[in-house]
Amino acid sequence: MNIFERIESDVRSYCRTFPVTFQRAKGATLEDEEGNRYIDFLSGAGVLNYGHNDPALKRPLLEYIGSDGLTHSLDMHSGAKARFLDAFETHILQPRGMRYKIQFPGPTGTNAVEAAMKLARNVTGRHNIVSFTNGFHGMTRGSLAATGNGHHRSAAGIPLAGTTFMPYDGYMGEDADTTEYLDKVLSDGSSGIDKPAAVIVETVQGEGGVNPASFEWLRSLEKVCRKHDVLVIVDDIQVGCGRTGTFFSFERARISPDIVLLSKSLSGYGLPFAVVLMKPELDIWEPGEHNGTFRGHNPAFVTATAAIETYWADDSFSREVANKGEYLRGWLNSLSARHSEMGVSTRGRGMIQALVFNDGDDADAVAARAFERGVIVETCGSDGEVLKFLAPLNIAKEELA
Ligand code: PLP
């Protein structure tokens, strides 16, 4: 029995699908201890949009550490944080005409979700949050209450409260506009749905099965929320930071969320980091009212700054991602057409693309075969029936091919 099986908790999961020990990684390639190489189409579940050990991020990180820059600073001012805020304002917010204040919660996605839900509740004085079928927002109690997956929910050990689930785009079939249902229940004082503080939504559901909401649906959702004075929280933790082709996944939908959550690929290097962006008038926090020891993770500030300056100072990277996304989608389309007898379909947006199988066994079998052939790709969706392609965005075209 190896060391992992002997003393690491049975809760471990990815290592069961990819049962090797990884030693090194560069770009889109992982190498195990025996020197076998794998192309990484998992990218840390969306953490490694710029691949492993990107030199454009590694260089400033090594320089920063070498110069004894602060590693940890709670929420005190640090030069690294100032440079991050400056880069974020200059290259992300200003060119998009966005006005948000930035909160640093703890460093993981669920920390940002918890902070956002708490803020929305405090701003509106309402407790309920509307979440969507197949939504995924994290494993701590508040985020889990907004997460649809029964396997995860059943591990909570107590009733999960404070949320109401509504059907996501497409859930009731292609022709149904599920925002009409939301509008209806919010308009009806006897619908049994407590008026929510906010809706929390992913523009493309990542863990829930690569379900892209249409831009029309997102616009309509925003309209319903404005009509009923409900805040819009976009959880861009998995599909933000360029995954769909634009820095924020909602840009092409032309909506203006009240609160936006980023984590995963924000540091760009795999270092834990999360932010809550809120419209300035929502920033009603009292000093220290919400905190977290690891809010000041300076190495993440350094690599996030480098990622923004390297990839987001103009729109060339965005075009490159859109281009690769189309290529990947075309390739998956022709693959599924060649195997039409299996009833495989494709869906996705930009560089989050998927092959959808009839059941989890087929998707598992393909993932296992891919791994044997040196490709790491994971399954998602309610029955694990979706094979999700999350290649690094800066993967070379030949490697993607
Ligand atoms: N929100 C979304 C959309 C996610 O995909 C995830 C993780 O997969 C989370 C929140 C939770 O992030 P974390 O695992 O860092 O807490």
Short mmCIF file of all heavy atoms in Angstrom, two decimals, residues 129-178:
data_model
loop_
_atom_site.label_atom_id
_atom_site.label_comp_id
_atom_site.label_asym_id
_atom_site.label_seq_id
_atom_site.Cartn_x
_atom_site.Cartn_y
_atom_site.Cartn_z
N ILE A 129 -31.13 33.30 -0.93
CA ILE A 129 -30.31 33.49 -2.14
C ILE A 129 -30.82 32.49 -3.18
O ILE A 129 -30.98 31.30 -2.87
CB ILE A 129 -28.81 33.16 -1.87
CG1 ILE A 129 -28.24 33.98 -0.70
CG2 ILE A 129 -27.98 33.30 -3.15
CD1 ILE A 129 -27.66 35.32 -1.01
N VAL A 130 -31.08 32.96 -4.38
CA VAL A 130 -31.49 32.05 -5.45
C VAL A 130 -30.25 31.51 -6.16
O VAL A 130 -29.37 32.27 -6.57
CB VAL A 130 -32.41 32.76 -6.47
CG1 VAL A 130 -32.49 31.96 -7.78
CG2 VAL A 130 -33.82 32.92 -5.89
N SER A 131 -30.21 30.20 -6.23
CA SER A 131 -29.13 29.52 -6.94
C SER A 131 -29.78 28.68 -8.04
O SER A 131 -31.01 28.61 -8.11
CB SER A 131 -28.39 28.65 -5.93
OG SER A 131 -27.39 27.94 -6.57
N PHE A 132 -28.97 28.06 -8.88
CA PHE A 132 -29.57 27.35 -10.02
C PHE A 132 -29.24 25.86 -10.01
O PHE A 132 -28.18 25.45 -9.54
CB PHE A 132 -29.12 28.01 -11.33
CG PHE A 132 -29.73 29.37 -11.49
CD1 PHE A 132 -29.05 30.50 -11.08
CD2 PHE A 132 -31.02 29.51 -11.97
CE1 PHE A 132 -29.63 31.76 -11.17
CE2 PHE A 132 -31.63 30.75 -12.06
CZ PHE A 132 -30.92 31.88 -11.66
N THR A 133 -30.16 25.10 -10.58
CA THR A 133 -29.95 23.67 -10.73
C THR A 133 -28.58 23.41 -11.37
O THR A 133 -28.18 24.12 -12.30
CB THR A 133 -31.04 23.08 -11.67
OG1 THR A 133 -31.12 23.92 -12.85
CG2 THR A 133 -32.40 23.07 -11.00
N ASN A 134 -27.88 22.43 -10.85
CA ASN A 134 -26.52 22.07 -11.31
C ASN A 134 -25.46 23.13 -11.02
O ASN A 134 -24.32 23.02 -11.49
CB ASN A 134 -26.49 21.73 -12.81
CG ASN A 134 -27.18 20.42 -13.10
OD1 ASN A 134 -26.79 19.39 -12.55
ND2 ASN A 134 -28.23 20.44 -13.90
N GLY A 135 -25.81 24.15 -10.25
CA GLY A 135 -24.81 25.15 -9.87
C GLY A 135 -23.79 24.56 -8.92
O GLY A 135 -24.10 23.62 -8.16
N PHE A 136 -22.57 25.09 -8.96
CA PHE A 136 -21.51 24.63 -8.04
C PHE A 136 -20.81 25.86 -7.50
O PHE A 136 -20.28 26.67 -8.26
CB PHE A 136 -20.51 23.72 -8.76
CG PHE A 136 -19.48 23.14 -7.83
CD1 PHE A 136 -19.62 21.86 -7.31
CD2 PHE A 136 -18.36 23.88 -7.44
CE1 PHE A 136 -18.68 21.33 -6.42
CE2 PHE A 136 -17.41 23.36 -6.56
CZ PHE A 136 -17.57 22.08 -6.06
N HIS A 137 -20.79 25.98 -6.17
CA HIS A 137 -20.18 27.19 -5.59
C HIS A 137 -19.21 26.91 -4.45
O HIS A 137 -18.65 27.86 -3.90
CB HIS A 137 -21.29 28.16 -5.15
CG HIS A 137 -22.19 28.55 -6.28
ND1 HIS A 137 -21.79 29.43 -7.27
CD2 HIS A 137 -23.44 28.13 -6.63
CE1 HIS A 137 -22.78 29.57 -8.16
NE2 HIS A 137 -23.78 28.79 -7.80
N GLY A 138 -19.02 25.66 -4.07
CA GLY A 138 -18.02 25.37 -3.05
C GLY A 138 -18.56 24.50 -1.94
O GLY A 138 -19.74 24.13 -1.92
N MET A 139 -17.67 24.18 -1.02
CA MET A 139 -17.95 23.12 -0.04
C MET A 139 -18.23 23.62 1.36
O MET A 139 -18.57 22.83 2.24
CB MET A 139 -16.76 22.14 0.01
CG MET A 139 -16.59 21.31 -1.25
SD MET A 139 -17.95 20.15 -1.52
CE MET A 139 -18.87 20.97 -2.82
N THR A 140 -18.02 24.91 1.66
CA THR A 140 -18.37 25.38 3.01
C THR A 140 -19.87 25.60 3.07
O THR A 140 -20.55 25.63 2.04
CB THR A 140 -17.58 26.65 3.36
OG1 THR A 140 -17.76 27.60 2.32
CG2 THR A 140 -16.10 26.35 3.52
N ARG A 141 -20.40 25.79 4.29
CA ARG A 141 -21.84 25.59 4.44
C ARG A 141 -22.71 26.50 3.56
O ARG A 141 -23.66 26.03 2.96
CB ARG A 141 -22.24 25.74 5.90
CG ARG A 141 -23.58 25.08 6.16
CD ARG A 141 -24.14 25.39 7.52
NE ARG A 141 -23.32 24.85 8.58
CZ ARG A 141 -23.54 25.11 9.88
NH1 ARG A 141 -24.55 25.89 10.21
NH2 ARG A 141 -22.77 24.59 10.80
N GLY A 142 -22.37 27.78 3.50
CA GLY A 142 -23.18 28.69 2.69
C GLY A 142 -23.07 28.36 1.20
O GLY A 142 -24.08 28.29 0.49
N SER A 143 -21.86 28.14 0.73
CA SER A 143 -21.64 27.81 -0.69
C SER A 143 -22.28 26.48 -1.05
O SER A 143 -22.85 26.32 -2.13
CB SER A 143 -20.14 27.72 -1.00
OG SER A 143 -19.44 28.80 -0.48
N LEU A 144 -22.18 25.54 -0.12
CA LEU A 144 -22.75 24.21 -0.35
C LEU A 144 -24.27 24.29 -0.44
O LEU A 144 -24.89 23.57 -1.24
CB LEU A 144 -22.31 23.27 0.78
CG LEU A 144 -22.59 21.78 0.63
CD1 LEU A 144 -22.06 21.23 -0.68
CD2 LEU A 144 -21.98 21.01 1.80
N ALA A 145 -24.85 25.19 0.35
CA ALA A 145 -26.31 25.37 0.28
C ALA A 145 -26.72 25.87 -1.10
O ALA A 145 -27.86 25.68 -1.52
CB ALA A 145 -26.77 26.34 1.36
N ALA A 146 -25.80 26.51 -1.81
CA ALA A 146 -26.10 27.03 -3.15
C ALA A 146 -25.64 26.07 -4.24
O ALA A 146 -25.72 26.38 -5.43
CB ALA A 146 -25.43 28.40 -3.33
N THR A 147 -25.13 24.91 -3.84
CA THR A 147 -24.60 23.92 -4.79
C THR A 147 -25.62 22.81 -4.98
O THR A 147 -26.17 22.31 -4.00
CB THR A 147 -23.25 23.37 -4.24
OG1 THR A 147 -22.30 24.43 -4.28
CG2 THR A 147 -22.74 22.19 -5.04
N GLY A 148 -25.86 22.42 -6.23
CA GLY A 148 -26.93 21.47 -6.49
C GLY A 148 -26.57 20.01 -6.23
O GLY A 148 -27.43 19.22 -5.83
N ASN A 149 -25.32 19.65 -6.44
CA ASN A 149 -24.91 18.25 -6.46
C ASN A 149 -25.23 17.48 -5.16
O ASN A 149 -24.73 17.81 -4.09
CB ASN A 149 -23.39 18.22 -6.74
CG ASN A 149 -22.87 16.83 -6.91
OD1 ASN A 149 -22.86 16.04 -5.97
ND2 ASN A 149 -22.47 16.50 -8.12
N GLY A 150 -26.04 16.44 -5.29
CA GLY A 150 -26.53 15.69 -4.14
C GLY A 150 -25.42 14.98 -3.38
O GLY A 150 -25.48 14.85 -2.15
N HIS A 151 -24.42 14.50 -4.09
CA HIS A 151 -23.29 13.80 -3.46
C HIS A 151 -22.59 14.75 -2.48
O HIS A 151 -22.30 14.37 -1.34
CB HIS A 151 -22.33 13.38 -4.58
CG HIS A 151 -21.08 12.70 -4.14
ND1 HIS A 151 -21.09 11.56 -3.36
CD2 HIS A 151 -19.77 12.98 -4.38
CE1 HIS A 151 -19.83 11.18 -3.14
NE2 HIS A 151 -19.02 12.02 -3.74
N HIS A 152 -22.37 15.97 -2.91
CA HIS A 152 -21.71 16.95 -2.04
C HIS A 152 -22.66 17.41 -0.93
O HIS A 152 -22.27 17.55 0.22
CB HIS A 152 -21.24 18.16 -2.84
CG HIS A 152 -20.18 17.82 -3.86
ND1 HIS A 152 -19.03 17.17 -3.52
CD2 HIS A 152 -20.12 18.04 -5.19
CE1 HIS A 152 -18.29 16.99 -4.60
NE2 HIS A 152 -18.94 17.51 -5.64
N ARG A 153 -23.91 17.65 -1.29
CA ARG A 153 -24.86 18.17 -0.31
C ARG A 153 -25.07 17.18 0.84
O ARG A 153 -25.17 17.57 2.00
CB ARG A 153 -26.21 18.47 -0.97
CG ARG A 153 -26.19 19.67 -1.89
CD ARG A 153 -27.54 19.86 -2.57
NE ARG A 153 -28.57 20.28 -1.63
CZ ARG A 153 -28.78 21.54 -1.27
NH1 ARG A 153 -28.04 22.51 -1.77
NH2 ARG A 153 -29.72 21.84 -0.41
N SER A 154 -25.09 15.89 0.48
CA SER A 154 -25.42 14.92 1.52
C SER A 154 -24.30 14.81 2.56
O SER A 154 -24.51 14.29 3.65
CB SER A 154 -25.69 13.55 0.89
OG SER A 154 -24.52 13.10 0.24
N ALA A 155 -23.12 15.33 2.25
CA ALA A 155 -22.02 15.27 3.21
C ALA A 155 -22.08 16.40 4.24
O ALA A 155 -21.28 16.45 5.16
CB ALA A 155 -20.67 15.32 2.47
N ALA A 156 -23.04 17.31 4.07
CA ALA A 156 -23.08 18.48 4.96
C ALA A 156 -23.39 18.09 6.40
O ALA A 156 -22.89 18.69 7.34
CB ALA A 156 -24.12 19.49 4.47
N GLY A 157 -24.22 17.08 6.57
CA GLY A 157 -24.52 16.62 7.92
C GLY A 157 -25.61 17.41 8.63
O GLY A 157 -26.05 17.02 9.70
N ILE A 158 -26.00 18.54 8.07
CA ILE A 158 -27.11 19.30 8.64
C ILE A 158 -27.94 19.83 7.47
O ILE A 158 -27.45 19.89 6.35
CB ILE A 158 -26.65 20.50 9.50
CG1 ILE A 158 -25.81 21.46 8.69
CG2 ILE A 158 -25.91 20.06 10.74
CD1 ILE A 158 -25.73 22.81 9.33
N PRO A 159 -29.16 20.26 7.73
CA PRO A 159 -29.94 20.82 6.62
C PRO A 159 -29.26 22.06 6.08
O PRO A 159 -28.72 22.87 6.84
CB PRO A 159 -31.28 21.20 7.29
CG PRO A 159 -31.31 20.43 8.57
CD PRO A 159 -29.90 20.24 9.00
N LEU A 160 -29.26 22.18 4.76
CA LEU A 160 -28.62 23.34 4.13
C LEU A 160 -29.70 24.38 3.88
O LEU A 160 -30.66 24.13 3.16
CB LEU A 160 -27.95 22.90 2.82
CG LEU A 160 -26.75 21.97 3.05
CD1 LEU A 160 -26.32 21.31 1.76
CD2 LEU A 160 -25.59 22.73 3.68
N ALA A 161 -29.52 25.53 4.49
CA ALA A 161 -30.60 26.51 4.48
C ALA A 161 -30.19 27.81 3.80
O ALA A 161 -29.02 28.05 3.56
CB ALA A 161 -31.02 26.79 5.92
N GLY A 162 -31.20 28.62 3.51
CA GLY A 162 -30.93 29.98 3.06
C GLY A 162 -30.87 30.14 1.55
O GLY A 162 -30.49 31.20 1.06
N THR A 163 -31.21 29.07 0.82
CA THR A 163 -31.17 29.16 -0.65
C THR A 163 -32.44 28.56 -1.25
O THR A 163 -33.10 27.72 -0.62
CB THR A 163 -29.98 28.37 -1.23
OG1 THR A 163 -30.00 27.05 -0.67
CG2 THR A 163 -28.65 29.02 -0.93
N THR A 164 -32.77 29.01 -2.45
CA THR A 164 -33.86 28.41 -3.23
C THR A 164 -33.30 28.14 -4.62
O THR A 164 -32.65 29.01 -5.20
CB THR A 164 -35.03 29.40 -3.37
OG1 THR A 164 -35.51 29.75 -2.07
CG2 THR A 164 -36.17 28.79 -4.17
N PHE A 165 -33.54 26.94 -5.14
CA PHE A 165 -33.03 26.60 -6.48
C PHE A 165 -34.07 26.90 -7.55
O PHE A 165 -35.25 26.61 -7.39
CB PHE A 165 -32.63 25.12 -6.54
CG PHE A 165 -31.30 24.89 -5.89
CD1 PHE A 165 -31.21 24.75 -4.51
CD2 PHE A 165 -30.14 24.88 -6.64
CE1 PHE A 165 -29.97 24.59 -3.90
CE2 PHE A 165 -28.90 24.71 -6.04
CZ PHE A 165 -28.82 24.57 -4.66
N MET A 166 -33.59 27.49 -8.64
CA MET A 166 -34.44 27.76 -9.79
C MET A 166 -33.83 27.04 -11.00
O MET A 166 -32.61 26.79 -11.02
CB MET A 166 -34.46 29.27 -10.08
CG MET A 166 -35.27 30.07 -9.10
SD MET A 166 -37.03 29.86 -9.42
CE MET A 166 -37.65 29.92 -7.75
N PRO A 167 -34.65 26.73 -12.01
CA PRO A 167 -34.09 26.03 -13.17
C PRO A 167 -33.15 26.93 -13.98
O PRO A 167 -33.49 28.06 -14.29
CB PRO A 167 -35.33 25.64 -13.99
CG PRO A 167 -36.44 26.48 -13.46
CD PRO A 167 -36.10 26.89 -12.07
N TYR A 168 -31.97 26.39 -14.28
CA TYR A 168 -30.97 27.11 -15.07
C TYR A 168 -31.43 27.13 -16.53
O TYR A 168 -32.37 26.44 -16.92
CB TYR A 168 -29.64 26.35 -14.94
CG TYR A 168 -28.41 27.04 -15.48
CD1 TYR A 168 -27.89 28.17 -14.86
CD2 TYR A 168 -27.73 26.54 -16.59
CE1 TYR A 168 -26.74 28.79 -15.33
CE2 TYR A 168 -26.58 27.14 -17.07
CZ TYR A 168 -26.09 28.27 -16.43
OH TYR A 168 -24.95 28.88 -16.90
N ASP A 169 -30.74 27.89 -17.33
CA ASP A 169 -31.08 27.96 -18.76
C ASP A 169 -30.99 26.55 -19.36
O ASP A 169 -30.00 25.85 -19.19
CB ASP A 169 -30.08 28.89 -19.47
CG ASP A 169 -30.53 29.19 -20.90
OD1 ASP A 169 -31.72 28.99 -21.21
OD2 ASP A 169 -29.69 29.65 -21.69
N GLY A 170 -32.04 26.14 -20.06
CA GLY A 170 -32.05 24.83 -20.73
C GLY A 170 -32.57 23.71 -19.86
O GLY A 170 -32.83 22.61 -20.36
N TYR A 171 -32.73 23.94 -18.57
CA TYR A 171 -33.11 22.86 -17.67
C TYR A 171 -34.48 22.29 -17.99
O TYR A 171 -34.74 21.11 -17.79
CB TYR A 171 -33.08 23.37 -16.22
CG TYR A 171 -33.15 22.30 -15.16
CD1 TYR A 171 -32.04 21.49 -14.91
CD2 TYR A 171 -34.30 22.10 -14.42
CE1 TYR A 171 -32.09 20.50 -13.94
CE2 TYR A 171 -34.36 21.12 -13.44
CZ TYR A 171 -33.25 20.33 -13.21
OH TYR A 171 -33.30 19.36 -12.24
N MET A 172 -35.39 23.16 -18.47
CA MET A 172 -36.75 22.71 -18.77
C MET A 172 -36.93 22.46 -20.27
O MET A 172 -38.05 22.47 -20.78
CB MET A 172 -37.78 23.75 -18.31
CG MET A 172 -37.66 24.18 -16.87
SD MET A 172 -37.94 22.82 -15.71
CE MET A 172 -39.67 22.54 -15.96
N GLY A 173 -35.83 22.27 -20.98
CA GLY A 173 -35.89 22.09 -22.43
C GLY A 173 -35.52 23.38 -23.13
O GLY A 173 -35.53 24.45 -22.54
N GLU A 174 -35.20 23.21 -24.42
CA GLU A 174 -34.65 24.33 -25.19
C GLU A 174 -35.59 25.53 -25.30
O GLU A 174 -35.17 26.67 -25.34
CB GLU A 174 -34.33 23.86 -26.61
CG GLU A 174 -32.84 23.64 -26.82
CD GLU A 174 -32.58 23.10 -28.20
OE1 GLU A 174 -33.23 23.55 -29.17
OE2 GLU A 174 -31.71 22.22 -28.30
N ASP A 175 -36.89 25.25 -25.36
CA ASP A 175 -37.84 26.33 -25.65
C ASP A 175 -38.31 27.11 -24.43
O ASP A 175 -38.93 28.16 -24.57
CB ASP A 175 -39.05 25.78 -26.41
CG ASP A 175 -38.61 25.18 -27.73
OD1 ASP A 175 -37.60 25.68 -28.28
OD2 ASP A 175 -39.22 24.20 -28.18
N ALA A 176 -38.03 26.58 -23.25
CA ALA A 176 -38.53 27.27 -22.05
C ALA A 176 -37.55 28.34 -21.59
O ALA A 176 -36.35 28.09 -21.49
CB ALA A 176 -38.73 26.25 -20.93
N ASP A 177 -38.07 29.54 -21.34
CA ASP A 177 -37.25 30.60 -20.77
C ASP A 177 -37.46 30.57 -19.25
O ASP A 177 -38.48 31.04 -18.75
CB ASP A 177 -37.66 31.97 -21.35
CG ASP A 177 -36.89 33.10 -20.69
OD1 ASP A 177 -36.07 32.83 -19.79
OD2 ASP A 177 -37.11 34.26 -21.09
N THR A 178 -36.50 30.01 -18.55
CA THR A 178 -36.72 29.77 -17.11
C THR A 178 -36.69 31.07 -16.30
O THR A 178 -37.10 31.07 -15.14
CB THR A 178 -35.68 28.77 -16.55
OG1 THR A 178 -34.37 29.31 -16.74
CG2 THR A 178 -35.79 27.42 -17.22
#
